[in-house]
Amino acid sequence: MKNDQGFSLVELLIVVAIIAIVAAIAIPNLQTSKQAANEAGAIQGCRTIASAEIAYASTNNQQYADIATLVKGNYLDSRFGTTGQINGYTYAPGDVLGTTIDGNPPTSFGFIASPGGPGLGRFSFSIGPDQVVRYQGVVDGASFPSGVTAGDPLGKTN
């Protein structure tokens, strides 16, 4: 009498096909989740830099500083002082769209968080002395949320 053990080739192919279908559905969702997490981290990074600027200015005659000075004075985490990425975003000084109060230290500041590469984020964000995080631009062919343009603050409603 024949004793069948194991799985047939057809059964294994069906299982592999089912796994492939599930992976095809799940992987794009994971990518979107990663981008959203990176964007949330970039928004918080902007707020962290602005808070460090305010703390520095409160003890230095209302004068702002660059990132290197904030890191050196322990107002800001040293990760911001490197050229690497934090949660997929890089931070650099720049002009904040939608406001005229940004500028260069010591009288003002403006910082822009930009995705460090493709697939790491859909938007770039910025912050100035008004402490408002704004949309700075789009990347990877993304588009702004409905009713939002560059320079608009996050959470803007129509």
Side-chain angles (χ1 to χ4, degrees):
M1 180 171 194
K2 185 176 177 185
N3 187 4
D4 291 332
Q5 292 188 7
F7 299 104
S8 71
L9 181 60
V10 173
E11 290 170 330
L12 289 175
L13 288 175
I14 291 172
V15 169
V16 169
I18 291 171
I19 291 172
I21 291 169
V22 170
I25 294 170
I27 289 173
N29 290 336
L30 292 174
Q31 179 66 20
T32 302
S33 297
K34 181 180 177 184
Q35 284 181 340
N38 287 348
E39 291 165 4
I43 293 166
Q44 187 58 43
C46 287
R47 290 180 178 142
T48 300
I49 291 173
S51 294
E53 284 283 8
I54 298 303
Y56 179 87
S58 70
T59 59
N60 289 282
N61 199 26
Q62 299 304 311
Q63 302 293 301
Y64 299 111
D66 59 7
I67 288 180
T69 303
L70 295 173
V71 169
K72 184 177 176 184
N74 292 323
Y75 292 94
L76 198 58
D77 189 308
S78 62
R79 295 177 299 158
F80 286 96
T82 64
T83 57
Q85 300 176 13
I86 302 172
N87 296 328
Y89 273 74
T90 57
Y91 300 85
D95 292 328
V96 178
L97 296 177
T99 183
T100 58
I101 62 172
D102 67 319
N104 296 322
T107 58
S108 191
F109 70 89
F111 289 99
I112 299 171
S114 302
L120 295 176
R122 299 166 293 173
F123 310 111
S124 57
F125 302 99
S126 58
I127 195 162
D130 62 354
Q131 302 285 308
V132 175
V133 179
R134 301 176 186 279
Y135 288 101
Q136 185 74 12
V138 295
V139 294
D140 290 341
S143 60
F144 286 116
S146 178
V148 173
T149 60
D152 285 347
L154 269 65
K156 175 188 172 191
T157 57
N158 293 336

